Amino acid sequence: MLYPRESESRQLRTLSGLWRFKADYLHEGRKQNWQMSPLEGTINMPVPASYNDITQDEKLRDHIGDVWYEKTFFVPLSWREERVMLRVGSASHHATVWVNGVKVTEHSGGFLPFEGELSSIINYGEENRISIVVNNVLDWNSLPPGEVKHIEDEQHPKGYKIQEYHYDFFNYAGIHRPVILYTTPKTYIEDITVTTDIKDKIAVVHYEFKTTGEKSVTNYSVELLDKEGNIVASEKGNKDRLMVENPKLWQPGEGYLYTFRVSSFETNGDLVDRYRLPIGIRTVEIKGEQFLINGKPFYFKGFGKHEDSDFNGRGLNDVINVKDFNLLEWSNANSFRTSHYPYSEEIMDLADELGIVVIDEVPAVGMNIWGQNIQLFNEDKLGTDALNNHIKTIKDLIKRDKNHPSVVMWSVGNEAATFEDGSVPYFKKLAEFTRELDNTRPVTLVQSSKPKDDKVAQLFDIICLNRYYSWYEDPGHLELIDFQLEKELKDWYAKYKQPIIITEYGADAIAGFHQDPPVMFTEEYQCEMIKEYHKVMDRLPFVIGEHVWNFADFATKQGVTRIVGNKKGVFTRQRQPKAAAHMLRKRWLAHPKE
Ligand code: GCB
């Protein structure tokens, strides 16, 4: 599914802005077909945004179930000749869309785009009404998984239920990314895949795309344009390769992008469709202990992040996104992981443009119930249906993100219960499937098991490890990190001979809390803990990256270990630096291992 972009043959209109909104507390909407007539008793709701933190009503914040969105819009008469599409960047977690009461599409999975065709439904030159119902319920077959628990005991009123989930970020819901109307010609370029290789200073850009529609189009022009707009290579087929001598490479810190311009023509030479895809020329490879980008060893310096900000929740927030990339640059970071779900396409575009390296993760988080002896990888919980949904999500993510040069690795999940026997066939299937779809990028699963317990790391290309010595294990004992971490990292390496990225390490620090000698929750403790990890990582050559948890403080569900959210950010939720941010900035100015 190509990201909607304007061109000579394509138009685009955003439906971002205020929508009419109504929470369906009594579960009536679907039965009463609320999509058939204008909603009554609505409030204003911005799109894109999470709805949870917009009002003063905690009932809405904590609502479990459906909410309805509605908006009216016009499309010009001239669009009658076109294929008119409606695209939702993401809606968490399940959505059904109607236009003028006619169902257009439905989708499950809260972090990826979906679309439907409106051409035969829409009133051209007249008013149209779009209705979207969004449901936030998670179950064992959704990604991320969760479970609605009905609590039946004398401590709770009859019918009391909660949405349980075993991951550590607030279950924000709503229409999180833009809703866009766009047109393509009726015969349109549907999908483009570009991969790049470099041999002896010559870049080979392999490409493939297809055209769908009534007309049989066989005349194409495929051109590669540099930043100045010069055509540096061209071809005529829909599956071929372009050669570029002395290419400007996409590099960490220098996101040089070419424009891959595809045009299709009628036999008489008239333009049918045109699409411009930004691409970067680069290679990625793991060789021995090293992660190579363009043949050079790359050391990951950066963070696990979240899409999370005040009021917007998980809704697309251009202000925060641009600020975050400025802070990444200020910190001298070169990479981040899209923990724990695919981020917006707008963020991925920024990473491409700014040369920030990305580990791209599917929303497979919470597949582990800490401290409870419950097996998850079986038909009762994470069985065949969950696996199929996981496979579909990987497929959709790769389809969406395959052309981003910033994406150097796929992560098929975070901290699953990989000590269970049942996790082995499950992840074997996922690793194989991911490689089948894309053999140009390494595949990982972010781990929290101990090396002696893990059963799946051999299926993947690189070990990504989250560790919390002196926080969840031996809280307060900074002096143990050196011993414990070194031993464990050596054990991982001895067992699998794969390079290791520490994809999470860090401590909660409440900005402004100080105590020296350090105690937990102070800025001093956060700094000291991070520094202790560095000492170990710096002496182990097979450690090839450090992603501090987390970039910024973020919202979580309420609980006794969370103080108005998770405070492991080195920036506050409002993006102000804590002491640790200054410390990292100094460390990352150079390659930590040089
Ligand atoms: C983890 C999780 C992350 C949590 C973090 C923490 O291991 O991957 O989602 O937020 O620990 O702070 O507990």
Side-chain angles (χ1 to χ4, degrees):
M1 192 194 297
L2 292 174
Y3 185 72
R5 292 180 200 278
E6 283 181 302
S7 78
E8 293 82 339
S9 56
R10 295 171 172 237
Q11 296 180 55
L12 189 151
R13 262 198 62 194
T14 167
L15 294 183
S16 295
L18 295 189
W19 288 49
R20 292 183 292 281
F21 175 91
K22 186 173 176 172
D24 185 7
Y25 295 119
L26 302 175
H27 313 291
E28 298 167 333
R30 292 185 198 244
K31 279 182 239 145
Q32 296 174 0
N33 290 315
W34 283 1
Q35 74 278 10
M36 296 313 289
S37 48
L39 286 174
E40 284 167 17
T42 57
I43 59 170
N44 286 326
M45 189 56 70
V47 170
S50 301
Y51 60 74
N52 309 76
D53 293 345
I54 303 286
T55 73
Q56 289 303 94
D57 187 355
E58 68 188 60
K59 192 171 168 202
L60 178 59
R61 183 192 64 201
D62 298 333
H63 174 57
I64 306 170
D66 286 345
V67 297
W68 289 71
Y69 289 80
E70 182 187 272
K71 194 173 178 70
T72 43
F73 63 93
F74 284 84
V75 293
L77 279 172
S78 60
W79 281 22
R80 209 176 251 158
E81 309 310 317
E82 311 293 321
R83 171 175 166 262
V84 181
M85 299 296 294
L86 175 90
R87 189 186 202 260
V88 182
S90 76
S92 298
H93 296 281
H94 317 273
T96 307
V97 182
W98 296 267
V99 168
N100 303 328
V102 180
K103 186 164 153 188
V104 177
T105 184
E106 63 187 332
H107 182 260
S108 277
F111 304 93
L112 287 169
F114 54 96
E115 60 181 20
E117 185 165 353
L118 299 187
S119 313
S120 62
I121 297 173
I122 211 158
N123 299 320
Y124 296 90
E126 288 174 39
E127 191 175 77
N128 295 278
R129 193 182 69 253
I130 174 169
S131 321
I132 306 185
V133 59
V134 181
N135 179 284
N136 64 352
V137 169
L138 299 170
D139 61 27
W140 283 109
N141 295 328
S142 60
L143 272 193
E147 195 175 3
V148 173
K149 278 228 155 127
H150 297 266
I151 307 184
E152 284 158 22
D153 64 20
E154 48 204 39
Q155 298 294 336
H156 296 84
K158 214 174 163 1
Y160 194 79
K161 59 175 187 186
I162 51 162
Q163 169 72 65
E164 257 201 358
Y165 47 92
H166 303 283
Y167 59 81
D168 183 38
F169 50 94
F170 188 76
N171 186 29
Y172 277 117
I175 302 177
H176 281 154
R177 296 179 191 154
V179 181
I180 289 174
L181 291 171
Y182 73 96
T183 69
T184 72
K186 293 222 157 105
T187 300
Y188 57 98
I189 296 159
E190 198 189 349
D191 190 17
I192 305 175
T193 307
V194 173
T195 57
T196 60
D197 209 352
I198 307 156
K199 290 219 167 70
D200 305 326
K201 296 211 170 144
I202 298 183
V204 189
V205 179
H206 301 271
Y207 70 86
E208 189 174 352
F209 59 88
K210 61 179 184 188
T211 294
T212 305
E214 303 146 2
K215 293 183 188 159
S216 91
V217 174
T218 46
N219 291 354
Y220 298 110
S221 109
V222 176
E223 294 153 316
L224 195 66
L225 287 80
D226 65 15
K227 266 204 170 149
E228 285 72 45
N230 306 310
I231 298 175
V232 295
S234 62
E235 265 305 337
K236 296 218 167 301
N238 67 331
K239 183 175 175 189
D240 210 321
R241 55 186 199 169
L242 301 168
M243 312 289 261
V244 190
E245 270 180 50
N246 293 316
K248 281 207 82 169
L249 300 185
W250 187 96
Q251 324 233 32
E254 211 195 323
Y256 191 90
L257 296 176
Y258 288 89
T259 301
F260 183 84
R261 184 168 73 188
V262 182
S263 316
S264 60
F265 300 96
E266 309 230 27
T267 27
N268 66 6
D270 286 354
L271 179 74
V272 180
D273 194 11
R274 178 164 287 160
Y275 190 86
R276 292 172 179 79
L277 177 75
I279 66 153
I281 296 175
R282 59 111 184 89
T283 60
V284 172
E285 187 189 355
I286 293 178
K287 213 175 193 177
E289 287 171 9
Q290 291 182 322
F291 195 100
L292 305 177
I293 299 183
N294 302 331
K296 287 191 214 133
F298 178 72
Y299 187 87
F300 293 77
K301 306 182 280 188
F303 305 93
K305 282 185 97 271
H306 266 298
E307 288 183 303
D308 174 276
S309 62
D310 283 336
F311 312 121
N312 287 58
R314 208 163 317 294
L316 177 75
N317 185 337
D318 288 328
V319 173
I320 283 286
N321 290 345
V322 174
K323 180 74 181 174
D324 282 5
F325 276 93
N326 288 337
L327 290 175
L328 287 171
E329 193 193 355
W330 177 90
S331 317
N332 298 306
N334 60 16
S335 53
F336 64 85
R337 172 169 62 118
T338 70
S339 41
H340 294 302
Y341 39 81
Y343 291 179
S344 68
E345 289 150 284
E346 291 75 7
I347 291 181
M348 304 309 281
D349 281 348
L350 281 170
D352 286 347
E353 189 191 320
L354 301 170
I356 295 288
V357 169
V358 177
I359 302 175
D360 205 356
E361 187 159 283
V362 290
V365 56
M367 297 181 148
N368 196 338
I369 307 187
W370 306 100
Q372 292 179 35
N373 195 12
I374 302 176
Q375 297 278 312
L376 295 185
F377 287 93
N378 54 53
E379 285 305 319
D380 278 353
K381 297 201 158 53
L382 299 169
T384 314
D385 290 347
L387 177 62
N388 287 339
N389 188 30
H390 204 149
I391 286 174
K392 180 181 180 300
T393 309
I394 291 175
K395 188 170 163 201
D396 290 350
L397 175 68
I398 294 182
K399 208 163 182 196
R400 193 195 76 161
D401 285 354
K402 62 188 171 187
N403 295 320
H404 286 287
S406 56
V407 175
V408 300
M409 177 157 38
W410 304 112
S411 161
V412 301
N414 182 70
E415 298 193 350
T418 59
F419 45 84
E420 288 182 26
D421 289 336
S423 70
V424 181
Y426 188 101
F427 283 106
K428 185 164 187 286
K429 192 99 204 220
L430 293 184
E432 284 168 2
F433 179 77
T434 311
R435 289 200 184 97
E436 242 168 63
L437 288 190
D438 181 12
N439 62 11
T440 70
R441 293 173 174 95
V443 187
T444 193
L445 167 68
V446 175
Q447 287 274 8
S448 65
S449 297
K450 289 283 157 64
K452 66 175 176 27
D453 303 323
D454 164 71
K455 298 194 164 128
V456 307
Q458 73 285 356
L459 303 169
F460 297 96
D461 300 308
I462 184 167
I463 289 163
C464 288
L465 199 62
N466 298 345
R467 272 299 162 255
Y468 290 94
Y469 288 126
S470 92
W471 192 260
Y472 297 119
E473 293 172 70
D474 298 296
H477 290 277
L478 293 169
E479 75 284 1
L480 287 175
I481 294 172
D482 204 273
F483 171 78
Q484 293 176 335
L485 185 66
E486 171 157 355
K487 179 176 179 324
E488 180 182 348
L489 293 178
K490 284 184 169 163
D491 287 349
W492 275 106
Y493 189 68
K495 187 166 172 192
Y496 295 109
K497 293 278 177 303
Q498 290 178 10
I500 300 176
I501 302 175
I502 309 288
T503 33
E504 289 185 23
Y505 62 113
D508 287 78
I510 299 178
F513 272 30
H514 293 285
Q515 192 158 310
D516 198 29
V519 297
M520 293 173 78
F521 293 100
T522 63
E523 294 196 32
E524 286 77 6
Y525 193 94
Q526 188 182 38
C527 280
E528 288 313 307
M529 175 180 175
I530 291 174
K531 279 191 203 157
E532 283 302 307
Y533 276 68
H534 292 161
K535 279 190 208 158
V536 178
M537 282 141 62
D538 287 352
R539 35 178 210 261
L540 301 177
F542 51 82
V543 175
I544 56 148
E546 51 196 64
H547 278 178
V548 173
W549 190 257
N550 188 282
F551 175 77
D553 294 346
F554 57 92
T556 62
K557 66 182 161 199
Q558 298 184 59
V560 289
T561 60
R562 295 290 173 258
I563 305 137
V564 197
N566 186 310
K567 295 285 189 258
K568 292 194 187 71
V570 305
F571 296 96
T572 63
R573 200 181 192 208
Q574 295 70 35
R575 274 50 179 186
Q576 298 304 330
K578 302 179 193 172
H582 291 282
M583 184 268 286
L584 289 167
R585 178 173 193 231
K586 277 196 203 114
R587 171 176 168 84
W588 289 342
L589 193 54
H591 186 307
K593 292 198 169 172
E594 275 164 6

